[in-house]
Amino acid sequence: MADLTADYVVVGGGLTGCVIASRLSQSEKKPKVILIEAGSDPSSNAVADQFLSGLSLQGSEFDYAYQSEPVANTADRVHTLNAGKALGGGSILNYGGWLRADASDYDEWGQVVGDRRWTYEGFKPWLRKSEHFYDSSADADQHGFDGPMHVISVSADESGERKYQLREPVRKSWTELGISPNPQRKNGTVIGLAEIYENSRDGMRQPSYKVYPLDNVQVFTDTAVDRVVFSGKTATGVELADGRKITTRKEVILCAGAYRTPQLLMLSGIGPSAALTEQGIPVVRESPQVGQNLHDHFVIYLAFRLRDPSLGYAMGSASWQNPALFKSLPWDWIVTEPLPRELAGKHSSETENRKRGLWEVMTLYVPPGIPGIPIDGTHIATSTMVLCPTSRGNVSIRSSAPSDPPRVQPNYFSTPLDRDVLIHATRQTLKALLATNSMKPIVESEAPPSGEGLDGLKVLTADATDEEIEERIRRTGTQHHHSGGTAAMGKVVDAEGQVLGVQGLRIADASIIPIPLSGHPQATLYAMAEQIASMVTESM
């Protein structure tokens, strides 16, 4: 590949990068678009088409698997930070949950950046545009029916055959604890008990590069970008790892993710001047918030031993035979809740404006890679996480060498609010699985993970102390791979993703999301990319 020129150069062929490149290439102006992806093209790998393969693809050639700095609040553990390294990015590694944030999340986003286009009302057209919702009778104000991404509920999948045996007991257990059903998520409110939606089609994954066609895009895979090239304060292109350059006539658009995008900015001379000068990088634009504000959903996975595994409640059992049950991750319900009033009162300054839920629980009929817990039908599991963490980490550079991974300090579980939220949510999870009339006859006990560094963990019960729960969280809690915020809108970029203080450089990935959201990110990211692509198209 010789040096090239394009109207738009998109760096990062992940979830949002494919949307941006595809939409720009479809515009009436027919610009030349180049999409550059450091990872490979996974289209010939059949394993990448299946959701359950996510367990094996994490840590594979399709995953950067960055290693964090030791996190003091999690027993000084180093965390593996999974991030897609392939065409399609995270849409190759995730488990397909299509779970929007709460309407109040989007409203806060719009308020923070001072732009109504990022409120719920501003977001809705783009949420609808990306979506091909399965139920044509659903509220047309809330759902889209003509978009490229097929979205379906778990119980409607596989012609209704995908019904898990514990579906009703799990639902009833949360009802016993006073959780209200919220099946339609009316007015964009996610609080309560709802069924999980997936972007599954015929039980298969829908990677971004397949859903958003790249026929009119010049795509380069296995091609790493070292830095953005500037002439003064104007981005003129990118420099590749082999020294070649690609020139842009209009814009460079970074879609490299919450870890790599701030690293690329700093390597290109945009960031905290002290950090750049220390590494001998000429400063193009002093931008102290680059790499700051890292947020992620922090989670604890719990495994629960079944009283009678022969009944086929969990994947791996000899009785688990229906092919429909193997199509996607075995789950069905999601619970989203705020803190109870007595706990929220301790944190009034941080929660008084939060109408949305602060914690989430999903029940999984397979233990998702919990150390020492077999996938043989003997255990089910839960995912319990903080949705709107107040803990913040940061991303920085180790050196001026682009091949060095970024230095990431996630700083999980570092605030009193986050601790109270996750301890409370874990207690509610234990009650639902161990102490309700619906689940107590089915579940024998919680089963601690085992392995290196996990000696001495106590079995958690429904009446476990706060101290026992907190110790388990600190020793086993991890991130949910929902990172963002490191090039925040309103701090590093404007409301259209344009990098402040320079020209010709834009960002359109999770790094620009200024606040944590009480949903899983991909539904929001597709809509965000649709809106930013429209903004770029309008400026052509």
Side-chain angles (χ1 to χ4, degrees):
M1 180 181 68
D3 289 353
L4 295 170
T5 299
D7 295 302
Y8 296 95
V9 176
V10 181
V11 179
L15 189 157
T16 60
C18 288
V19 178
I20 295 290
S22 177
R23 289 304 193 196
L24 295 185
S25 73
Q26 295 168 22
S27 67
E28 293 180 358
K29 297 290 182 69
K30 299 188 182 304
K32 181 176 181 181
V33 181
I34 289 178
L35 176 63
I36 308 171
E37 168 54 43
S40 60
D41 180 351
S43 58
S44 62
N45 188 326
V47 176
D49 291 333
Q50 304 167 36
F51 282 111
L52 284 174
S53 64
L55 290 170
S56 61
L57 291 178
Q58 289 180 358
S60 73
E61 62 176 308
F62 299 140
D63 183 5
Y64 279 103
Y66 295 123
Q67 300 299 294
S68 79
E69 297 298 293
V71 179
N73 299 300
T74 64
D76 287 319
R77 288 182 292 128
V78 172
H79 294 257
T80 296
L81 309 173
N82 303 110
K85 186 183 181 182
L87 195 62
S91 67
I92 298 298
L93 297 179
N94 68 32
Y95 295 102
W98 191 264
L99 300 163
R100 296 177 183 176
D102 194 90
S104 59
D105 289 338
Y106 299 122
D107 287 344
E108 183 175 343
W109 181 344
Q111 181 180 16
V112 165
V113 304
D115 195 311
R116 289 187 55 80
R117 290 176 293 183
W118 299 106
T119 65
Y120 183 55
E121 287 301 315
F123 236 110
K124 270 197 298 189
W126 310 104
L127 291 164
R128 293 192 298 258
K129 182 173 182 177
S130 64
E131 187 177 77
H132 187 114
F133 197 64
Y134 77 103
D135 182 1
S136 59
S137 66
D139 185 352
D141 183 58
Q142 302 291 321
H143 294 289
F145 307 101
D146 301 314
M149 186 65 72
H150 286 249
V151 177
I152 193 167
S153 70
V154 172
S155 62
D157 194 23
E158 295 294 301
S159 302
E161 285 291 309
R162 198 173 147 211
K163 296 283 180 64
Y164 301 102
Q165 287 196 59
L166 290 183
R167 177 181 174 86
E168 281 305 296
V170 168
R171 183 188 66 78
K172 290 178 180 177
S173 73
W174 288 109
T175 301
E176 284 184 54
L177 293 183
I179 306 299
S180 300
N182 182 16
Q184 304 302 325
R185 300 171 172 90
K186 289 184 178 180
N187 301 316
T189 300
V190 302
I191 290 176
L193 175 68
E195 190 173 15
I196 291 171
Y197 296 145
E198 298 173 328
N199 62 331
S200 168
R201 190 172 189 185
D202 300 325
M204 304 298 282
R205 191 182 288 280
Q206 295 181 88
S208 57
Y209 71 90
K210 289 185 177 180
V211 174
Y212 286 84
L214 300 173
D215 300 346
N216 298 320
V217 177
Q218 193 168 4
V219 179
F220 296 100
T221 54
D222 299 300
T223 304
V225 170
D226 276 0
R227 60 184 55 84
V228 179
V229 178
F230 285 90
S231 175
K233 299 284 187 180
T234 301
T236 58
V238 298
E239 181 179 329
L240 305 181
D242 61 9
R244 288 174 296 178
K245 293 182 173 64
I246 298 179
T247 302
T248 178
R249 288 184 283 264
K250 293 185 178 292
E251 289 188 18
V252 173
I253 304 175
L254 299 182
C255 299
Y259 304 129
R260 181 63 174 166
T261 283
Q263 183 188 22
L264 278 174
L265 288 174
M266 286 185 265
L267 291 171
S268 306
I270 299 175
S273 58
L276 303 185
T277 301
E278 181 182 353
Q279 300 299 339
I281 299 171
V283 177
V284 173
R285 160 72 175 178
E286 161 75 6
S287 187
Q289 291 301 308
V290 169
Q292 301 302 305
N293 191 47
L294 174 64
H295 51 72
D296 203 338
H297 292 149
F298 190 64
V299 63
I300 178 172
Y301 292 104
L302 298 175
F304 295 87
R305 183 176 293 106
L306 297 168
R307 294 184 185 276
D308 187 352
S310 69
L311 295 175
Y313 291 139
M315 182 176 287
S317 168
S319 301
W320 186 284
Q321 293 294 328
N322 186 339
L325 304 183
F326 291 91
K327 286 291 187 178
S328 297
L329 195 65
W331 54 5
D332 37 34
W333 299 112
I334 182 168
V335 171
T336 306
E337 284 290 301
L339 275 183
R341 185 173 302 174
E342 62 272 17
L343 273 178
K346 294 171 54 180
H347 309 279
S348 57
S349 62
E350 296 169 286
T351 60
E352 60 186 1
N353 295 320
R354 295 181 185 273
K355 300 176 184 178
R356 59 187 184 270
L358 297 183
W359 56 273
E360 171 198 286
V361 180
M362 298 182 295
T363 304
L364 313 169
Y365 309 125
V366 61
I370 299 175
I373 305 298
I375 301 179
D376 61 359
T378 58
H379 294 77
I380 60 174
T382 54
S383 163
T384 303
M385 72 183 185
V386 180
L387 288 177
C388 300
T390 52
S391 301
R392 294 292 185 273
N394 62 80
V395 177
S396 57
I397 51 175
R398 298 178 185 276
S399 72
S400 60
S403 58
D404 282 348
R407 176 179 283 117
V408 183
Q409 173 49 263
N411 205 27
Y412 304 127
F413 205 54
S414 61
T415 66
L417 177 59
D418 289 358
R419 290 195 287 274
D420 279 356
V421 168
L422 197 49
I423 290 170
H424 170 75
T426 303
R427 184 179 305 287
Q428 293 299 98
T429 304
L430 291 166
K431 287 181 179 178
L433 274 290
L434 298 173
T436 57
N437 293 329
S438 300
M439 292 300 291
K440 191 173 182 179
I442 295 169
V443 173
E444 179 180 299
S445 68
E446 189 268 337
S450 61
E452 185 177 352
L454 297 173
D455 294 340
L457 292 179
K458 297 179 180 179
V459 174
L460 294 178
T461 64
D463 56 0
T465 66
D466 285 359
E467 292 73 20
E468 289 169 336
I469 293 174
E470 184 171 352
E471 181 195 13
R472 176 69 69 84
I473 293 169
R474 290 186 183 280
R475 293 184 62 186
T476 68
T478 186
Q479 76 288 347
H480 216 285
H481 319 305
H482 295 167
S483 54
T486 49
M489 189 177 289
K491 300 289 187 180
V492 177
V493 303
D494 67 12
E496 297 193 352
Q498 298 173 106
V499 176
L500 297 169
V502 299
Q503 289 76 49
L505 180 61
R506 196 182 302 255
I507 304 175
D509 61 27
S511 67
I512 71 173
I513 299 178
I515 59 170
L517 305 174
S518 60
H520 293 218
Q522 71 163 339
T524 296
L525 287 172
Y526 279 108
M528 184 192 80
E530 288 274 19
Q531 177 155 222
I532 292 179
S534 175
M535 293 170 173
V536 178
T537 300
E538 289 175 4
S539 69
M540 286 182 183

Short mmCIF file of all heavy atoms in Angstrom, two decimals, residues 37 47 52 60 63 79 128 130 136-137 152 159 214 242 244 296 325 348 379 384 395 402 415 448 450 467 499 513 527:
data_model
loop_
_atom_site.label_atom_id
_atom_site.label_comp_id
_atom_site.label_asym_id
_atom_site.label_seq_id
_atom_site.Cartn_x
_atom_site.Cartn_y
_atom_site.Cartn_z
N GLU A 37 -8.00 -0.57 10.47
CA GLU A 37 -8.17 -1.40 11.65
C GLU A 37 -6.87 -2.15 11.96
O GLU A 37 -6.30 -2.79 11.07
CB GLU A 37 -9.31 -2.40 11.45
CG GLU A 37 -9.42 -3.52 12.48
CD GLU A 37 -9.50 -3.03 13.91
OE1 GLU A 37 -10.23 -2.03 14.15
OE2 GLU A 37 -8.83 -3.61 14.78
N VAL A 47 -16.11 -19.21 14.41
CA VAL A 47 -16.27 -19.08 15.85
C VAL A 47 -16.73 -17.66 16.21
O VAL A 47 -17.51 -17.45 17.15
CB VAL A 47 -14.96 -19.42 16.58
CG1 VAL A 47 -15.10 -19.20 18.08
CG2 VAL A 47 -14.57 -20.86 16.30
N LEU A 52 -21.81 -17.48 22.19
CA LEU A 52 -21.18 -18.24 23.26
C LEU A 52 -19.67 -18.32 23.08
O LEU A 52 -18.94 -18.59 24.04
CB LEU A 52 -21.77 -19.64 23.35
CG LEU A 52 -23.16 -19.72 24.00
CD1 LEU A 52 -23.71 -21.13 23.92
CD2 LEU A 52 -23.11 -19.25 25.45
N SER A 60 -8.03 -13.82 22.98
CA SER A 60 -7.58 -14.40 21.71
C SER A 60 -6.93 -13.33 20.84
O SER A 60 -6.71 -12.20 21.26
CB SER A 60 -8.78 -15.02 20.97
OG SER A 60 -9.61 -13.98 20.43
N ASP A 63 -8.52 -9.78 20.67
CA ASP A 63 -8.65 -9.04 21.93
C ASP A 63 -7.31 -8.41 22.29
O ASP A 63 -6.29 -9.09 22.37
CB ASP A 63 -9.10 -10.02 23.03
CG ASP A 63 -9.34 -9.35 24.38
OD1 ASP A 63 -9.26 -8.11 24.46
OD2 ASP A 63 -9.60 -10.09 25.34
N HIS A 79 -6.03 -6.11 36.44
CA HIS A 79 -7.21 -6.54 35.72
C HIS A 79 -6.92 -6.63 34.22
O HIS A 79 -6.24 -5.78 33.66
CB HIS A 79 -8.36 -5.55 35.94
CG HIS A 79 -8.85 -5.50 37.35
ND1 HIS A 79 -10.00 -6.12 37.76
CD2 HIS A 79 -8.31 -4.92 38.47
CE1 HIS A 79 -10.18 -5.92 39.05
NE2 HIS A 79 -9.16 -5.19 39.50
N ARG A 128 -33.86 4.73 17.21
CA ARG A 128 -34.80 4.07 16.29
C ARG A 128 -34.13 3.75 14.96
O ARG A 128 -34.38 2.68 14.37
CB ARG A 128 -36.02 4.96 16.05
CG ARG A 128 -36.91 5.16 17.26
CD ARG A 128 -38.24 5.80 16.87
NE ARG A 128 -38.08 7.13 16.29
CZ ARG A 128 -38.30 8.27 16.94
NH1 ARG A 128 -38.68 8.23 18.22
NH2 ARG A 128 -38.16 9.43 16.34
N SER A 130 -31.16 2.90 14.18
CA SER A 130 -30.24 1.75 14.16
C SER A 130 -30.96 0.43 14.32
O SER A 130 -30.38 -0.63 14.08
CB SER A 130 -29.20 1.91 15.28
OG SER A 130 -29.84 1.88 16.55
N SER A 136 -43.58 -5.69 15.79
CA SER A 136 -44.11 -4.58 14.99
C SER A 136 -45.24 -3.83 15.69
O SER A 136 -45.60 -2.73 15.28
CB SER A 136 -44.62 -5.10 13.64
OG SER A 136 -45.64 -6.06 13.83
N SER A 137 -45.78 -4.40 16.77
CA SER A 137 -46.85 -3.73 17.51
C SER A 137 -46.30 -2.87 18.65
O SER A 137 -47.08 -2.23 19.37
CB SER A 137 -47.83 -4.76 18.08
OG SER A 137 -47.19 -5.56 19.07
N ILE A 152 -34.23 -8.56 19.26
CA ILE A 152 -35.30 -9.49 19.64
C ILE A 152 -35.20 -9.79 21.13
O ILE A 152 -34.11 -9.71 21.73
CB ILE A 152 -35.19 -10.79 18.80
CG1 ILE A 152 -36.45 -11.64 18.92
CG2 ILE A 152 -33.94 -11.58 19.16
CD1 ILE A 152 -36.53 -12.75 17.88
N SER A 159 -38.25 -18.78 17.44
CA SER A 159 -39.70 -19.04 17.35
C SER A 159 -40.31 -19.40 18.69
O SER A 159 -41.24 -20.21 18.79
CB SER A 159 -39.97 -20.17 16.33
OG SER A 159 -39.46 -19.82 15.05
N LEU A 214 -19.66 -2.09 4.05
CA LEU A 214 -18.43 -1.35 3.77
C LEU A 214 -18.02 -1.47 2.31
O LEU A 214 -16.84 -1.30 1.97
CB LEU A 214 -17.31 -1.86 4.70
CG LEU A 214 -17.57 -1.71 6.20
CD1 LEU A 214 -16.48 -2.40 7.01
CD2 LEU A 214 -17.68 -0.25 6.59
N ASP A 242 4.31 1.45 9.84
CA ASP A 242 5.44 1.22 8.93
C ASP A 242 6.00 2.51 8.36
O ASP A 242 6.86 2.49 7.47
CB ASP A 242 5.04 0.26 7.81
CG ASP A 242 3.91 0.80 6.94
OD1 ASP A 242 3.54 1.99 7.09
OD2 ASP A 242 3.37 0.04 6.11
N ARG A 244 4.42 4.86 6.59
CA ARG A 244 3.65 5.47 5.51
C ARG A 244 2.57 6.38 6.06
O ARG A 244 2.18 6.27 7.22
CB ARG A 244 3.03 4.38 4.63
CG ARG A 244 4.05 3.65 3.77
CD ARG A 244 3.42 2.50 3.02
NE ARG A 244 2.92 1.47 3.94
CZ ARG A 244 2.28 0.38 3.54
NH1 ARG A 244 2.04 0.19 2.25
NH2 ARG A 244 1.88 -0.51 4.43
N ASP A 296 -16.30 2.75 34.15
CA ASP A 296 -16.69 1.42 33.70
C ASP A 296 -17.66 0.84 34.72
O ASP A 296 -17.68 1.26 35.88
CB ASP A 296 -15.46 0.51 33.56
CG ASP A 296 -15.69 -0.66 32.62
OD1 ASP A 296 -16.87 -1.04 32.38
OD2 ASP A 296 -14.70 -1.22 32.11
N LEU A 325 -31.46 -23.67 23.06
CA LEU A 325 -30.86 -23.17 24.28
C LEU A 325 -29.37 -22.93 24.14
O LEU A 325 -28.75 -22.32 25.03
CB LEU A 325 -31.11 -24.16 25.43
CG LEU A 325 -32.57 -24.51 25.71
CD1 LEU A 325 -32.67 -25.42 26.93
CD2 LEU A 325 -33.41 -23.25 25.93
N SER A 348 -26.67 11.95 49.75
CA SER A 348 -27.66 12.82 49.12
C SER A 348 -27.06 13.73 48.07
O SER A 348 -27.68 13.99 47.02
CB SER A 348 -28.37 13.66 50.19
OG SER A 348 -27.43 14.42 50.93
N HIS A 379 -24.12 -25.65 38.22
CA HIS A 379 -24.16 -24.30 38.75
C HIS A 379 -24.85 -23.33 37.78
O HIS A 379 -24.75 -23.48 36.56
CB HIS A 379 -22.75 -23.75 39.01
CG HIS A 379 -22.00 -24.46 40.08
ND1 HIS A 379 -21.41 -25.70 39.86
CD2 HIS A 379 -21.73 -24.13 41.37
CE1 HIS A 379 -20.80 -26.08 40.98
NE2 HIS A 379 -20.99 -25.15 41.90
N THR A 384 -23.77 -9.03 38.99
CA THR A 384 -24.31 -7.94 39.81
C THR A 384 -23.36 -6.76 39.68
O THR A 384 -22.18 -6.87 40.03
CB THR A 384 -24.41 -8.38 41.28
OG1 THR A 384 -25.22 -9.55 41.37
CG2 THR A 384 -25.00 -7.27 42.14
N VAL A 395 -6.29 7.00 31.80
CA VAL A 395 -5.45 6.35 30.78
C VAL A 395 -4.32 7.31 30.45
O VAL A 395 -4.54 8.52 30.26
CB VAL A 395 -6.25 6.04 29.50
CG1 VAL A 395 -5.35 5.44 28.43
CG2 VAL A 395 -7.41 5.08 29.81
N PRO A 402 4.38 4.06 20.00
CA PRO A 402 2.98 3.66 19.80
C PRO A 402 2.72 2.18 20.05
O PRO A 402 1.59 1.80 20.34
CB PRO A 402 2.73 4.02 18.33
CG PRO A 402 3.74 5.07 18.01
CD PRO A 402 4.95 4.70 18.80
N THR A 415 -15.07 4.73 45.80
CA THR A 415 -15.86 5.74 46.50
C THR A 415 -16.87 5.08 47.44
O THR A 415 -17.32 3.95 47.21
CB THR A 415 -16.63 6.63 45.50
OG1 THR A 415 -17.61 5.83 44.82
CG2 THR A 415 -15.69 7.27 44.49
N PRO A 448 -18.06 -20.27 46.21
CA PRO A 448 -16.96 -19.33 45.97
C PRO A 448 -16.06 -19.80 44.82
O PRO A 448 -15.89 -21.01 44.61
CB PRO A 448 -16.19 -19.34 47.30
CG PRO A 448 -17.11 -19.92 48.29
CD PRO A 448 -17.99 -20.87 47.54
N SER A 450 -12.45 -20.53 43.00
CA SER A 450 -11.22 -21.09 43.56
C SER A 450 -10.11 -20.96 42.54
O SER A 450 -10.35 -20.82 41.34
CB SER A 450 -11.42 -22.57 43.93
OG SER A 450 -11.75 -23.33 42.79
N GLU A 467 -19.14 -6.78 55.71
CA GLU A 467 -17.70 -7.00 55.63
C GLU A 467 -17.38 -8.23 54.78
O GLU A 467 -16.41 -8.23 53.99
CB GLU A 467 -17.11 -7.14 57.03
CG GLU A 467 -17.13 -5.88 57.87
CD GLU A 467 -18.51 -5.51 58.38
OE1 GLU A 467 -19.41 -6.40 58.43
OE2 GLU A 467 -18.71 -4.32 58.74
N VAL A 499 -12.59 17.60 18.12
CA VAL A 499 -11.60 17.82 19.18
C VAL A 499 -11.39 19.32 19.34
O VAL A 499 -11.13 20.04 18.37
CB VAL A 499 -10.28 17.11 18.85
CG1 VAL A 499 -9.23 17.43 19.91
CG2 VAL A 499 -10.52 15.59 18.77
N ILE A 513 -18.22 9.61 25.72
CA ILE A 513 -19.40 9.58 26.59
C ILE A 513 -19.02 10.16 27.94
O ILE A 513 -18.20 9.59 28.65
CB ILE A 513 -19.93 8.14 26.73
CG1 ILE A 513 -20.34 7.59 25.36
CG2 ILE A 513 -21.13 8.12 27.68
CD1 ILE A 513 -20.83 6.14 25.39
N ALA A 527 -26.38 4.21 18.18
CA ALA A 527 -27.16 5.43 17.98
C ALA A 527 -26.27 6.66 17.97
O ALA A 527 -26.46 7.59 17.17
CB ALA A 527 -28.22 5.54 19.08
#
